[in-house]
Amino acid sequence: MRSAPSAAYIEQTAGRSAARAARRRALRYDKNGMRPPKRTYVLLSLVIVASLAPLYYALLLASSTAADIAQNPIPSLLPQGHLLDNFKRVVSADVDLLHAAWNSVVVSTGTAVAVVLLSVLAGFAFARLRFRGRSVLLLFVVGTMAVPTQLGVVPLFMVMRSLGLTGSLWAVFLPGIASAFGVFWMTQYLSAALPPELIEAARIDGATTFRIFRSIVFPAALPAASMLGLFTFVGSWTNYFWPSIVLGSTNPTLPVALQLLQTGFFKDISLIMAGVLVSVVPLLALFVVVGRQLVAGVMQGAVKG
């Protein structure tokens, strides 16, 4: 049976509007032309509600006052009128949130770019290059994911202190540039998406390994690399454990700065939740801006014409 044309082919022949319609049909129907059962939509709706519930609870707390929260952990099921006042308190607090947010942007962006580049390079090597000890080395890389991060904190801190990097953003950036999950992710993706015949044909034409990576491997890995970069950015943006140890309060990232809001013996929950919402807004904006492009790229890379 002949397969349906891909969205990229439809866009080339019939235009973007027809391609968008084809993507919408692909989301509504499976490969046999059948609609998914209604219970699928019900299950997805429940998952969405469960995912948004903590964020909505934070909104309720951020729009209330500390006195209301002390009397009732859930002051109201609807947001109150103190949200803007709490935002102003967060901005005017002793903690420099703008500087902390800039530190998070620098660290998260740099870590995401480095992880994507190194993971695609390593994935290409494990997937399509043949060298001695390849399987053992890949098994070792995957095995490192079973080691808890907390076990390496003390020696890692000693290394950073001996290098004079404590308190610097380099101490947060350097340990995160290599990702065992990223290497495994890109290895599996390139093993399925990159035909070995294509690599051999490029070598016969005289292309070097770097030219093959630049012109063939990286474009083929772009859908999976985009998702890996997004996940890495979010993970680095929300990382609190290691930055709180190596940076402290002198040069914090945004999660560490939010923790500094709860100083003293009294915790102002409304102020802390307002700061949490401030830190979540950039992530939501990122998903709104690039989410559709990433999903379209993954679908385009997964559908064969």
Side-chain angles (χ1 to χ4, degrees):
M1 183 176 64
R2 185 178 179 181
S3 60
S6 64
Y9 176 78
I10 296 176
E11 182 175 351
Q12 293 177 359
T13 56
R16 292 185 177 181
S17 59
R20 285 194 294 266
R23 292 191 182 98
R24 287 194 294 267
R25 286 194 299 270
L27 293 175
R28 290 196 298 265
Y29 298 93
D30 60 12
K31 62 181 180 180
N32 296 322
M34 302 295 292
R35 282 181 179 268
K38 292 184 178 180
R39 61 177 178 268
T40 302
Y41 295 105
V42 174
L43 179 60
L44 291 177
S45 301
L46 292 177
V47 171
I48 293 174
V49 171
S51 302
L52 293 179
L55 185 61
Y56 185 72
Y57 183 53
L59 175 62
L60 294 179
L61 296 179
S63 62
S64 303
T65 62
D68 295 336
I69 296 174
Q71 295 176 1
N72 189 359
I74 305 178
S76 174
L77 294 180
L78 297 177
Q80 302 300 305
H82 304 282
L83 184 61
L84 294 180
D85 295 335
N86 290 331
F87 281 159
K88 293 178 182 178
R89 293 171 56 204
V90 169
V91 175
S92 61
D94 295 334
V95 181
D96 192 354
L97 286 182
L98 292 179
H99 179 67
W102 174 250
N103 287 343
S104 293
V105 169
V106 172
V107 172
S108 301
T109 304
T111 303
V113 172
V115 166
V116 166
L117 182 59
L118 295 179
S119 297
V120 175
L121 283 169
F124 169 52
F126 284 124
R128 287 294 173 253
L129 298 183
R130 297 293 178 263
F131 53 91
R132 183 174 299 178
R134 180 174 63 96
S135 301
V136 176
L137 185 58
L138 180 60
L139 183 62
F140 173 77
V141 172
V142 175
T144 59
M145 292 191 294
V147 180
T149 307
Q150 291 79 1
L151 293 180
V153 168
V154 174
L156 184 59
F157 181 81
M158 295 175 63
V159 170
M160 293 301 163
R161 186 178 60 180
S162 63
L163 295 176
L165 296 179
T166 54
S168 171
L169 296 182
W170 287 102
V172 182
F173 169 73
L174 291 177
I177 61 176
S179 171
F181 171 76
V183 173
F184 175 74
W185 170 276
M186 295 310 308
T187 300
Q188 298 302 311
Y189 182 84
L190 290 176
S191 297
L194 192 63
E197 295 82 4
L198 189 61
I199 304 297
E200 295 299 328
R203 292 191 183 280
I204 293 175
D205 291 339
T208 61
T209 303
F210 178 76
R211 178 63 183 273
I212 293 174
F213 174 80
R214 185 186 64 182
S215 302
I216 299 177
V217 178
F218 195 81
L222 195 57
S226 301
M227 296 301 297
L228 176 62
L230 180 61
F231 293 152
T232 304
F233 183 91
V234 174
S236 180
W237 182 273
T238 58
N239 186 20
Y240 169 77
F241 179 69
W242 175 243
S244 66
I245 295 175
V246 76
L247 295 180
S249 59
T250 57
N251 190 28
T253 55
L254 196 54
V256 180
L258 294 179
Q259 190 273 338
L260 297 177
L261 292 175
Q262 48 182 337
T263 56
F265 298 98
F266 174 72
K267 294 183 179 180
D268 193 340
I269 302 298
S270 61
L271 179 65
I272 298 172
M273 290 298 104
V276 170
L277 290 181
V278 170
S279 67
V280 170
V281 167
L283 295 181
L284 295 179
L286 179 64
F287 275 99
V288 170
V289 172
V290 304
R292 179 175 296 181
Q293 287 78 5
L294 289 176
V295 173
V298 172
M299 292 179 61
Q300 184 176 353
V303 177
K304 295 181 179 180

